[in-house]
Amino acid sequence: AFTNFLYFSQTYLNIVTLSCCIQEIPANAEFFNTKTRYQDADPFLRENILAINVSAVKPPAPACIPIHLTAIIRHGTRFPTAGNVEKIAILDKLVKSEAKGDLSYLPELKAWKNWYTQETAGHLTAAGRGDQIHLAKRLVKTFPTLLTKSNLLNKRVKFITSSVPRCINSTLAFQQGLKESLSIPDNEEFKYTVNDTLMRFFASCERLLVTVLNNKEAVVQVTLFEEGPEMSKVHQRLSDQLQIPYANITLGQLEAAYYLCAYEFSILGLVTPWCKLFDRAEAQVMDYAGDLGLYWKRGYGHEVNYMSSCVLFHNLFNLQPFNKDYSFPVSEVVNVQVGHAETLIPLMTLLGLFKGKISLDANNFAENLHRPFNCSKNVPFAANLMAALWSCPDGFRLQFRVNENPVALPGLSYSPLYEEVKKLYADLLQGCNEEEYQLGLQHTDW
């Protein structure tokens, strides 16, 4: 994993130099689902990736003091996973062998060189390393009394990560951002703990695997939408543009054609001809298809989806007792946890965030155009859920933020009293059903 980290570090400067000068952004950049760049989910950062939205990071009250921060972070921009690398290769071969007609940019599509390989599949990219470095630097500015040189050197900042290399390397990149911000030498190393029980709870939940992920009936709405009129229309227009028979373009190739624009842009900062194949309306359909899958496999679609995150939920609320005046040193002031989209979505759902008035189904695409459950906005690369505990004159207050912007828990204000939060989740805090998840994965220090 560390070798991969060094390899991608070598190209980091080139990518940053390129991305700093990008002016063109794909028209569909806000609809790339979980392949969306962080700064496209929050365009405030497009001009200055280190900018702080002062109006969004206010304390509950001027007299409040932050005393603890938990940041659960998705890994940064990655290469396509192995399955998607294969889909891209098949699409590339199909376009080169069968596409024809007078599409103005068809020669560019045919000339495009497929550079995605199984060797780099799923790994963190140089841009992804930048995502984490920049996030760390912004958080140092946002919580300057917690993310300090002293707290870091005295091991009061803890790091937990998934065992997957892109998460480990994201953790190392986040640490690098802290070092650069706090003038800590590069050779200073900070421990991290690999803990898949927390960060990959979804992989050890047998009930989730059996009843949802490996059960076609549980995701029938996804299948119905993929075979429905909206997707068929998108499918047909791609067939018409490339003059490839409809039957020769599989759903996997349709998705590969759409997300190639996202990969080329997020990884290289390039707006390629692949971006011209889908208009805004079609991008909204593709984005909804992605959300529909995540809604039924990771979100509100089934109770087990979000109950599987109960172990992480309890860890989030496992805060130390503090004196009212915060008069004694504590062993931990910041806990940084790096995982996956599949880590964040169930936990956000368990908290009751981004729940719309109607469910996401195959037949209500139009009604859900402005849905709260929107993974392009909520779970881009380097997405994060933060819980900041504040000591205020009227007691402890807990402030939640998603992608550095405040969010209100159901029925509560943006900065509720901690006691109000515990009352809201009283049933969950009493304990989780052991059958909903399985403990037993090992964790180790590195």
Side-chain angles (χ1 to χ4, degrees):
F2 189 67
T3 302
N4 291 329
F5 179 76
L6 292 176
Y7 171 77
F8 294 123
S9 300
Q10 293 172 0
T11 56
Y12 173 63
L13 183 59
N14 292 334
I15 298 294
V16 169
T17 303
L18 174 65
S19 63
C20 76
C21 308
I22 292 173
Q23 293 182 342
E24 187 180 6
I25 295 175
N28 300 329
E30 62 186 285
F31 302 115
F32 287 150
N33 211 260
T34 56
K35 284 83 173 174
T36 301
R37 295 191 315 166
Y38 190 82
Q39 58 266 46
D40 293 322
D42 186 0
F44 178 84
L45 296 171
R46 278 179 177 170
E47 291 187 12
N48 180 2
I49 197 65
L50 296 179
I52 301 296
N53 188 346
V54 178
S55 64
V57 296
K58 291 180 179 179
C64 295
I65 300 170
I67 55 177
H68 189 274
L69 172 68
T70 298
I72 305 172
I73 305 169
R74 184 190 177 199
H75 58 76
T77 302
R78 60 162 172 75
F79 286 102
T81 53
N84 287 321
V85 168
E86 185 176 350
K87 291 176 184 177
I88 290 170
I90 295 171
L91 171 71
D92 182 45
K93 184 178 179 180
L94 180 69
V95 169
K96 283 180 168 57
S97 62
E98 294 192 32
K100 54 185 180 294
D102 56 2
L103 194 65
S104 62
Y105 50 90
L106 183 57
E108 295 175 75
L109 293 178
K110 283 180 170 285
W112 179 77
K113 183 176 175 58
N114 182 14
W115 60 285
Y116 298 102
T117 68
Q118 291 295 343
E119 286 71 28
T120 59
H123 283 293
L124 189 71
T125 67
R129 182 171 180 259
D131 293 337
Q132 299 295 340
I133 289 174
H134 297 144
L135 176 59
K137 290 183 175 183
R138 291 194 302 272
L139 292 187
V140 168
K141 293 180 182 179
T142 305
F143 295 99
T145 60
L146 295 182
L147 285 168
T148 66
K149 186 173 185 177
S150 173
N151 282 338
L152 205 59
L153 293 176
N154 287 289
K155 299 179 174 55
R156 289 192 287 266
V157 179
K158 310 293 186 183
F159 299 94
I160 295 173
T161 177
S162 154
S163 63
V164 177
R166 59 179 172 269
C167 294
I168 294 175
N169 289 334
S170 288
T171 303
L172 294 172
F174 189 94
Q175 292 177 344
Q176 181 63 30
L178 295 179
K179 292 177 189 178
E180 292 178 8
S181 288
L182 301 170
S183 300
I184 297 173
D186 281 345
N187 60 2
E188 186 76 43
E189 293 186 2
F190 300 106
K191 281 188 175 182
Y192 59 84
T193 300
V194 172
N195 189 337
D196 281 346
T197 298
L198 289 180
M199 298 290 94
R200 290 182 57 80
F201 54 81
F202 50 87
S204 63
C205 180
E206 187 173 353
R207 180 180 292 185
L208 175 64
L209 294 171
V210 172
T211 64
V212 178
L213 300 182
N214 296 329
N215 179 11
K216 292 182 179 179
E217 290 300 316
V219 293
V220 66
Q221 293 297 321
V222 180
T223 304
L224 289 172
F225 188 75
E226 290 171 348
E227 298 172 351
E230 291 91 356
M231 282 290 282
S232 295
K233 185 177 178 181
V234 175
H235 197 157
Q236 185 62 61
R237 198 173 88 90
L238 182 65
S239 170
D240 292 343
Q241 288 185 97
L242 299 176
Q243 294 190 23
I244 297 174
Y246 184 101
N248 290 4
I249 301 174
T250 66
L251 177 64
Q253 288 151 27
L254 177 66
E255 292 175 345
Y258 179 69
Y259 285 113
L260 253 177
C261 173
Y263 287 126
E264 299 282 89
F265 182 59
S266 63
I267 296 172
L268 297 175
L270 299 177
V271 180
T272 65
W274 297 106
C275 298
K276 299 177 183 179
L277 285 170
F278 299 83
D279 61 25
R280 183 180 179 86
E282 292 165 334
Q284 290 176 320
V285 172
M286 297 299 293
D287 190 28
Y288 187 73
D291 279 353
L292 199 59
L294 291 166
Y295 182 90
W296 287 97
K297 295 177 183 179
R298 306 294 180 185
Y300 288 102
H302 300 285
E303 184 182 38
V304 67
N305 295 348
Y306 48 90
M307 285 301 295
S308 65
S309 72
C310 211
V311 61
L312 184 57
F313 172 89
H314 274 265
N315 181 263
L316 178 65
F317 283 93
N318 186 26
L319 300 171
Q320 300 180 44
F322 295 101
N323 285 346
K324 178 71 175 177
D325 58 359
Y326 188 46
S327 60
F328 64 94
V330 293
S331 61
E332 175 188 300
V333 295
V334 178
N335 194 309
V336 176
Q337 305 173 2
V338 181
H340 309 263
E342 297 89 344
T343 308
L344 282 169
I345 295 171
L347 181 60
M348 290 177 178
T349 304
L350 187 63
L351 290 169
L353 299 176
F354 310 120
K355 185 175 185 180
K357 294 181 180 179
I358 58 175
S359 65
L360 270 64
D361 295 318
N363 61 359
N364 61 7
F365 163 69
E367 294 89 337
N368 274 311
L369 271 180
H370 304 291
R371 60 195 176 277
F373 191 92
N374 184 325
C375 294
S376 292
K377 290 183 170 60
N378 304 337
V379 203
F381 288 125
N384 48 84
L385 171 68
M386 293 187 287
L389 185 67
W390 301 76
S391 177
C392 299
D394 59 349
F396 295 119
R397 290 187 174 272
L398 192 60
Q399 187 182 69
F400 278 82
R401 300 177 186 183
V402 171
N403 300 335
E404 303 170 75
N405 291 298
V407 292
L409 300 175
L412 299 179
S413 67
Y414 282 106
S415 303
L417 287 167
Y418 188 32
E419 290 303 315
E420 293 177 334
V421 178
K422 289 195 291 185
K423 188 179 297 184
L424 173 66
Y425 299 121
D427 290 342
L428 289 172
L429 289 171
Q430 286 179 2
C432 294
N433 187 333
E434 288 293 332
E435 294 180 2
E436 301 294 351
Y437 60 88
Q438 296 175 352
L439 300 178
L441 295 173
Q442 298 299 311
H443 60 271
T444 52
D445 290 326
W446 294 79

